[in-house]
Amino acid sequence: MSAGVRIFLAVAAGLMGLVMFLHGTTAEEDKAWFSYAFGAFCMLIAAAAVLRGRAARFCGSLVGTCVFVAALLYLGHELATGPVTSGSRSQPSIVNAVLFLLVFGIPGLLYAIKARFGFSKSEPPNIQLQDFTRPE
């Protein structure tokens, strides 16, 4: 990702996180936790965009895991209470929950597994210099 895109993403996600934290201070006490949780999620996205190396992979893995867990919770809720189809992608249904899991949840989990939460050692590429001189 280019530096400009990373900076834009970090600023946008950071501002959204701040807005959600501020909203949490004015929300009803029993519902404020969601504003704080979403604010922390936005801050993780901003951190993943700004940081490099293991720290970025750790934050990115947390974001991917959160998206996967949200997709599982959405699917579980729809399996328990929702209709099979809703006729619209904007209305909750089992089909929409499965699509969300396939499009966002599974890739988030795969990233978290691949990045290993930043705990794997990142080795520099093995570059070997070859001798291109001709034998005499």
Side-chain angles (χ1 to χ4, degrees), residues 17-18 25 33 38 44 46 52 54 56-57 59 63 66-67 80 91 108 110 112 117 125:
L18 288 175
T25 61
W33 68 270
F38 192 71
L44 279 174
R52 294 275 191 191
R54 287 183 173 187
R57 288 192 303 272
C59 292
V63 169
C66 288
V67 171
Q91 297 297 320
L110 292 177
F117 290 89

Side-chain angles (χ1 to χ4, degrees), residues 17 23 30 60 69 80 96 104:
H23 179 267
D30 60 332
V69 168
N96 289 344
F104 297 107

Side-chain angles (χ1 to χ4, degrees), residues 9-129:
L9 178 62
V11 169
L15 288 175
M16 180 57 93
L18 288 175
V19 167
M20 293 308 295
F21 285 135
L22 289 174
H23 179 267
T25 61
T26 62
E28 297 175 19
E29 289 185 27
D30 60 332
K31 297 179 183 175
W33 68 270
F34 182 77
S35 294
Y36 293 129
F38 192 71
F41 179 76
C42 291
M43 290 299 179
L44 279 174
I45 293 172
V50 170
L51 298 173
R52 294 275 191 191
R54 287 183 173 187
R57 288 192 303 272
F58 179 75
C59 292
S61 295
L62 286 177
V63 169
T65 302
C66 288
V67 171
F68 179 70
V69 168
L72 285 180
L73 291 173
Y74 176 33
L75 180 60
H77 180 266
E78 291 304 313
L79 285 172
T81 63
V84 175
T85 61
S86 64
S88 171
R89 293 226 174 113
S90 64
Q91 297 297 320
S93 69
I94 294 173
V95 171
N96 289 344
V98 169
L99 289 175
F100 183 79
L101 180 66
L102 292 175
V103 173
F104 297 107
I106 299 296
L109 177 67
L110 292 177
Y111 177 80
I113 291 170
K114 182 182 177 194
R116 296 183 184 163
F117 290 89
F119 292 122
S120 65
K121 290 184 180 179
S122 59
E123 299 176 7
N126 187 8
I127 299 173
Q128 296 177 353
L129 298 177

